[in-house]
Amino acid sequence: MSETRTEISSLGEFGLIDHLTRNFEIQNASTILSVGDDAAVIDHFGKQTVITTDLLIEGIHFDLMYTPLKHLGYKSVIVNLSDVYAMNAIPTHITMSIGISNRFSVEALDEFYEGVYAACSKYNVDLVGGDTSASQKGFIISVTGVGEVAPDKFVKRSTAKKGDLVCVSGDLGGAFLGLTLLEREKKIYLENPQIQPDLENEDYIVGRLLKPEARKDIIEFFEKNDIVPTAMMDVSDGISSEILHICKQSNLGCRLYEEKLPIAELTRQAAFKFGLDPTVCALNGGEDYELIFTLKQEDYDKITLNEEIAVIGYMSELEEGCKLLTKGGNTFDITAQGWNAFRG
Amino acid sequence: MSETRTEISSLGEFGLIDHLTRNFEIQNASTILSVGDDAAVIDHFGKQTVITTDLLIEGIHFDLMYTPLKHLGYKSVIVNLSDVYAMNAIPTHITMSIGISNRFSVEALDEFYEGVYAACSKYNVDLVGGDTSASQKGFIISVTGVGEVAPDKFVKRSTAKKGDLVCVSGDLGGAFLGLTLLEREKKIYLENPQIQPDLENEDYIVGRLLKPEARKDIIEFFEKNDIVPTAMMDVSDGISSEILHICKQSNLGCRLYEEKLPIAELTRQAAFKFGLDPTVCALNGGEDYELIFTLKQEDYDKITLNEEIAVIGYMSELEEGCKLLTKGGNTFDITAQGWNAFRG
């Protein structure tokens, strides 16, 4: 962090917004009016508008002890764009609101916005509005993503069909192991601040947690190869939880194969190091921001050449339930782990 | 509040969202896909899309000691719709995210959503998404409003012209006096919980604070009478602050007349009771959620019959500055009070 400290109060609300948004240049013709008025104006020229929103709260969704502010800004945008891609849509705009206590300086916010800016720039998205507020405690981030899709080309969760292939992009479980590692290092540091963190060879899993990407490439691949998934969502809570949503909303069951789950070698090694089962990490670890989708079987040939897509199973009758077939030949019910922030 | 207490954890995140959104029926043909997927889908059928967002934080923007949760839900929607109307657009959709600590029960959230539902229903707006999260402390509300406007019929802040009339809807200063009253009663209560609050005859100012409305009627009046304001914004920080935005962004000055400021008789009486100047309350008190707008002089005849619109001055050359002419014949510079949440 820079050594200069400029108090937020020295700029005032409007000065702060001007300062934070000064580097944003409009990239999309659809942006008719941007930051600086009561609202922004967007024209998707006949396409349909997709909208999604996320609320990220310090201490619940992120820990500033091991999350650099620039990465946090980047990731805040990415998690939101990931939801837009999961509709088979192209993100075009975001609004970003933040609530901050006065422990943050203008320089700290600049770092956060550098990350926001980098993500917007990489994904060709315009920041068109937001709100800047004081908070009594902690850093609060609210992002709303807007995208566009050709009329009725969006992909829901509820439209998978029996026999469809279940596919997933990239690899799974890395972000969860990155979190496990950083939580361990935090605990060690808090017990003895003299001990330096041991993150050697852990770039991959730490990067999966702190600097995820959204799967723009997969949506572009679908477009280019004339593929429309029958159902799709992004992997934020873990694929166990996500496939159960698709099954429930599509009124179907599924059968997944443990041996087909894509797990990176570095993720596998990290799991063994922590005494964890890589399969469990892949199924229940969240925040991978991959896409899980179902495809008609006749589309199989179209995806075989894409190494970023793995077929992990198929959709079955509702009565067959949601099952995982293990490498050892056993069959287990898939159950959702996940959201329990209100417990305990 | 109901006597039953259901813990939020008993429903889980998705159960909670299902529960809270169970009564929302889609009202707009533009709502192609609503709650329950990664994102919502909207089709404005050739119109342009307007988008605005607000972040409301307990202890900064509202005090639950004197704000009923149902009113808070209602107001959270209204303040956002007000921004959409201020673009001369019609709101069609909102997303609503909340962060809540486990001191809130499901019944408390139901009350909040009753207010959200009432506002959506009254203004014909569909709730199409959101996020429900734990918070470590306090209640956090993030609302994004979406609206539609015929191509290029939106009204900015920057397009007022010299000689245009400055107009305001409704009356000013009431919400600020409502806040002053409730803060006084809170202080008295905290000092001596035996003393009952004295809110007799104060319904008007308390209502202005706790249950504001957005000026849908004014936008509909414009449409019916073929009026397009030259510039417009909503009154959230006080008209001093707002007119300075219009002047700065339009590169003009203005001249307002104290005697023309619309102040309700009940607001005036409350001001005197607190030893405050009603004019200062009208200029600097925020949260009135009225519309301030500029009109071509030739449109004057069209608005004279609308008792909800007051002409309070006119736009002048930049060099003439932003001035208030008092009843006593003196001229003062208009200065922005307002946002100083980061100070002190």
Side-chain angles (χ1 to χ4, degrees):
Chain A
M1 201 170 296
S2 150
E3 292 192 19
T4 315
R5 180 178 165 98
T6 309
E7 297 300 328
I8 289 166
S9 59
S10 69
L11 294 178
E13 178 180 15
F14 304 111
L16 179 62
I17 292 171
D18 287 348
H19 174 84
L20 294 174
T21 57
R22 71 198 183 284
N23 289 326
F24 285 86
E25 279 176 33
I26 288 171
Q27 304 182 61
N28 289 296
S30 53
T31 307
I32 309 296
L33 184 69
S34 183
V35 174
D37 220 297
D38 296 281
V41 182
I42 297 165
D43 195 331
H44 280 141
F45 303 108
K47 292 196 173 177
Q48 292 179 335
T49 298
V50 166
I51 188 158
T52 181
T53 193
D54 289 295
L55 185 61
L56 306 171
I57 300 173
E58 184 181 349
I60 306 288
H61 300 96
F62 55 90
D63 187 330
L64 288 176
M65 192 157 168
Y66 52 72
T67 310
L69 281 164
K70 186 173 171 180
H71 287 66
L72 181 61
Y74 193 89
K75 183 170 174 175
S76 302
V77 177
I78 294 301
V79 300
N80 197 258
L81 302 187
S82 180
D83 279 320
V84 176
Y85 288 122
M87 299 304 290
N88 199 34
I90 303 295
T92 53
H93 301 83
I94 60 161
T95 64
M96 164 74 68
S97 296
I98 53 172
I100 34 172
S101 69
N102 55 17
R103 85 176 205 263
F104 291 94
S105 65
V106 173
E107 287 75 17
L109 290 186
D110 281 343
E111 287 191 38
F112 178 81
Y113 270 83
E114 263 181 54
V116 171
Y117 181 63
C120 286
S121 178
K122 177 161 185 178
Y123 289 86
N124 201 36
V125 160
D126 289 330
L127 175 80
V128 292
D131 198 6
T132 309
S133 167
S135 88
Q136 286 189 312
K137 193 190 170 213
F139 192 18
I140 300 161
I141 304 164
S142 173
V143 192
T144 297
V146 176
E148 62 182 28
V149 63
D152 304 316
K153 290 291 181 207
F154 59 88
V155 175
K156 300 193 284 184
R157 299 171 176 180
S158 58
T159 38
K161 294 279 174 293
K162 186 194 154 193
D164 285 351
L165 304 170
V166 178
C167 307
V168 69
S169 66
D171 57 77
L172 302 169
F176 174 74
L177 284 157
L179 179 66
T180 304
L181 175 70
L182 291 174
E183 286 286 339
R184 185 195 69 175
E185 293 302 323
K186 176 184 172 181
K187 196 159 163 260
I188 292 171
Y189 175 83
L190 289 175
E191 283 166 5
N192 187 346
Q194 306 304 318
I195 299 176
Q196 291 298 306
D198 172 22
L199 301 180
E200 210 174 330
N201 299 321
E202 310 290 14
D203 290 1
Y204 184 72
I205 57 171
V206 169
R208 290 291 285 168
L209 179 74
L210 296 184
K211 195 170 179 291
E213 298 290 347
R215 296 312 303 244
K216 181 186 190 182
D217 60 322
I218 301 290
I219 303 305
E220 289 172 346
F221 172 81
F222 290 158
E223 170 80 19
K224 193 180 285 182
N225 292 277
D226 211 18
I227 297 168
V228 180
T230 54
M232 182 158 55
M233 64 185 294
D234 76 330
V235 182
S236 52
D237 293 338
I239 61 160
S240 283
S241 171
E242 321 304 11
I243 191 65
L244 289 176
H245 280 294
I246 291 175
C247 286
K248 185 183 172 196
Q249 293 190 36
S250 298
N251 216 21
L252 292 171
C254 71
R255 196 171 181 82
L256 305 187
Y257 297 90
E258 183 186 13
E259 63 180 345
K260 302 287 188 188
L261 296 176
I263 302 174
E265 188 48 34
L266 290 165
T267 300
R268 209 175 282 280
Q269 287 172 14
F272 289 133
K273 207 163 130 183
F274 287 112
L276 298 170
D277 180 346
T279 297
V280 174
C281 297
L283 287 171
N284 298 329
E287 299 217 79
D288 288 318
Y289 300 107
E290 297 295 344
L291 293 171
I292 182 168
F293 52 95
T294 56
L295 273 191
K296 289 182 205 141
Q297 291 190 16
E298 57 256 43
D299 283 336
Y300 178 71
D301 287 348
K302 293 181 182 172
I303 60 160
T304 47
L305 288 177
N306 190 329
E307 293 184 351
E308 291 292 316
I309 296 175
V311 179
I312 61 171
Y314 63 89
M315 301 301 289
S316 59
E317 295 279 12
L318 179 64
E319 294 69 32
E320 297 176 48
C322 301
K323 306 286 185 188
L324 178 77
L325 191 75
T326 68
K327 290 173 188 168
N330 294 313
T331 306
F332 285 105
D333 282 333
I334 295 170
T335 54
Q337 313 287 322
W339 197 79
N340 55 3
F342 285 110
R343 282 162 226 252
Chain B
M1 202 170 297
S2 150
E3 292 192 18
T4 315
R5 180 179 166 98
T6 310
E7 296 301 327
I8 289 167
S9 59
S10 70
L11 294 179
E13 178 181 15
F14 304 111
L16 180 62
I17 292 172
D18 287 348
H19 175 83
L20 295 174
T21 57
R22 72 198 183 284
N23 289 326
F24 285 86
E25 279 175 32
I26 288 171
Q27 305 183 58
N28 289 295
S30 53
T31 307
I32 309 296
L33 184 69
S34 184
V35 174
D37 220 298
D38 296 280
V41 182
I42 297 166
D43 195 330
H44 280 141
F45 303 108
K47 292 196 175 179
Q48 292 179 335
T49 298
V50 166
I51 188 159
T52 182
T53 192
D54 289 294
L55 185 61
L56 306 171
I57 299 173
E58 184 181 349
I60 306 287
H61 300 97
F62 56 89
D63 188 330
L64 288 176
M65 190 155 170
Y66 52 73
T67 310
L69 281 164
K70 185 173 171 181
H71 287 66
L72 182 62
Y74 192 88
K75 183 170 174 175
S76 301
V77 177
I78 294 300
V79 301
N80 197 258
L81 302 187
S82 180
D83 279 321
V84 176
Y85 288 121
M87 298 305 289
N88 200 35
I90 302 295
T92 53
H93 301 82
I94 59 162
T95 65
M96 164 76 65
S97 295
I98 53 172
I100 34 173
S101 70
N102 56 16
R103 83 176 206 264
F104 291 93
S105 65
V106 173
E107 287 75 16
L109 290 185
D110 281 344
E111 287 192 39
F112 178 80
Y113 271 83
E114 263 181 53
V116 171
Y117 181 63
C120 286
S121 179
K122 178 161 183 176
Y123 289 87
N124 201 36
V125 160
D126 288 331
L127 176 80
V128 293
D131 198 4
T132 308
S133 166
S135 88
Q136 285 189 312
K137 193 190 170 213
F139 192 18
I140 299 160
I141 305 163
S142 173
V143 192
T144 297
V146 176
E148 63 182 27
V149 62
D152 304 318
K153 289 292 181 207
F154 59 87
V155 175
K156 300 193 284 184
R157 299 173 176 179
S158 58
T159 38
K161 294 280 174 293
K162 185 193 153 193
D164 285 351
L165 304 171
V166 177
C167 306
V168 68
S169 67
D171 57 79
L172 303 169
F176 174 74
L177 284 157
L179 179 66
T180 305
L181 174 71
L182 292 174
E183 285 287 339
R184 185 195 68 177
E185 294 301 324
K186 176 184 172 181
K187 197 160 163 257
I188 292 171
Y189 175 84
L190 290 175
E191 283 167 5
N192 186 348
Q194 306 305 319
I195 298 176
Q196 291 299 306
D198 173 21
L199 301 180
E200 210 175 328
N201 298 322
E202 310 290 13
D203 290 1
Y204 184 73
I205 57 171
V206 169
R208 290 291 285 169
L209 179 74
L210 295 183
K211 196 169 179 291
E213 298 291 347
R215 297 311 306 243
K216 181 186 189 183
D217 60 320
I218 301 290
I219 303 305
E220 289 173 346
F221 173 80
F222 290 158
E223 170 79 20
K224 192 179 287 183
N225 291 277
D226 211 18
I227 297 168
V228 180
T230 54
M232 182 156 57
M233 63 185 295
D234 77 328
V235 182
S236 52
D237 292 338
I239 61 161
S240 284
S241 171
E242 321 304 11
I243 191 66
L244 289 176
H245 280 295
I246 291 175
C247 286
K248 187 183 170 194
Q249 293 190 36
S250 298
N251 216 21
L252 293 172
C254 72
R255 196 168 183 69
L256 305 186
Y257 297 91
E258 183 187 13
E259 63 180 344
K260 302 288 188 188
L261 296 176
I263 302 174
E265 188 48 35
L266 290 165
T267 301
R268 208 175 281 279
Q269 286 171 13
F272 289 132
K273 208 163 130 183
F274 287 112
L276 297 170
D277 180 345
T279 298
V280 174
C281 297
L283 286 171
N284 298 330
E287 297 217 81
D288 288 317
Y289 300 107
E290 298 295 344
L291 293 170
I292 182 168
F293 54 95
T294 56
L295 274 191
K296 289 182 205 143
Q297 291 191 14
E298 57 256 44
D299 283 335
Y300 178 70
D301 288 348
K302 293 182 183 172
I303 60 161
T304 45
L305 288 178
N306 190 328
E307 292 185 352
E308 290 293 315
I309 297 175
V311 179
I312 61 171
Y314 63 89
M315 301 302 288
S316 59
E317 295 278 12
L318 178 64
E319 294 70 32
E320 297 176 48
C322 301
K323 304 288 185 186
L324 178 77
L325 191 74
T326 67
K327 290 174 188 167
N330 295 314
T331 307
F332 286 105
D333 282 335
I334 296 170
T335 55
Q337 312 289 321
W339 198 78
N340 55 4
F342 285 110
R343 283 162 225 250

